[in-house]
Amino acid sequence: AAARSFTAGNDRSAGNGSLMRTGVVALGHLGDATEMTEAAIAVSALTHPDPDCADACVLWCSGIRTAVLHGTFDGVRAGLDLLPAERRGVWAKRLDEAEANPPHHFANNGWVVHALQAAWSAITRTAVPELSPAENSFPAQHFGLALEAAVRAGTDTDTVAAIAGALLGARWGCSGIPLAWQQVVHG
């Protein structure tokens, strides 16, 4: 109730916080996209009941769910079908814009829409390396490269990186995390 009251009186209530923390919702609903959608909206609404926040969480959870189940990033766009019909077109245009522009183009990334666009841009505009043992490259290196692109977008870099990292991790798994990064994590 407090979150809804705040949202109703504030035109700047569509922050990126719920998008950063709802990715895990997809993992609890791998078997049912409808239940995942309902859970993503409910979890987002705890702090960010704005419709843009709910939609962004549904799209990103759909992306994570598909990445885990099928090893692709196709779920973000497939998630458009999970949104209310009247909002699908605006989100399709937002995804198109993200794919057409670099992550730093979305500088207002404290706003959930720009945060999603910056993360999606970093993921889709970063080339997936070809498997080449001679050049010591492999596709899962996309994890680190795209995450670096998300951070270099600037502004709210930790949140954009967390958003991008959830989808990248779902797609590439632990094998995508550079060993040097793994070695500096404590705990």
Side-chain angles (χ1 to χ4, degrees):
R4 285 190 299 279
S5 175
F6 176 77
T7 298
N10 187 342
D11 63 351
R12 297 179 57 86
S13 63
N16 60 22
S18 67
L19 180 58
M20 177 179 64
R21 65 180 163 71
T22 55
V24 70
V25 168
L27 301 179
H29 299 280
L30 293 174
D32 190 324
T34 301
E35 286 182 10
M36 180 213 66
T37 299
E38 293 168 0
I41 292 168
V43 170
S44 177
L46 292 172
T47 56
H48 296 79
D50 186 276
D52 278 339
C53 296
D55 292 349
C57 290
V58 168
L59 291 174
W60 216 246
C61 283
S62 176
I64 291 168
R65 181 177 175 275
T66 300
V68 169
L69 294 174
H70 304 290
T72 72
F73 294 118
D74 298 340
V76 173
R77 282 214 176 257
L80 291 169
D81 291 336
L82 301 171
L83 300 180
E86 68 275 7
R87 297 185 53 78
R88 293 175 187 160
V90 70
W91 278 101
K93 289 178 185 172
R94 289 170 172 172
L95 294 175
D96 291 343
E97 185 181 6
E99 293 167 8
N101 292 286
H104 69 268
H105 179 80
F106 308 99
N108 186 21
N109 56 29
W111 176 38
V112 69
V113 172
H114 270 199
L116 182 143
Q117 287 176 305
W120 187 238
S121 172
I123 291 168
T124 60
R125 293 178 54 88
T126 300
V128 176
E130 296 290 325
L131 179 61
S132 174
E135 295 177 24
N136 197 27
S137 68
F138 55 98
Q141 287 175 316
H142 180 250
F143 177 98
L145 298 170
L147 205 52
E148 286 179 9
V151 169
R152 292 182 192 282
T155 314
D156 198 355
T157 59
D158 58 332
T159 303
V160 173
I163 294 163
L167 181 54
L168 289 162
R171 167 63 181 90
W172 297 114
C174 188
S175 65
I177 302 171
L179 182 59
W181 294 5
Q182 292 179 39
Q183 290 174 333
V184 297
V185 174
H186 303 280

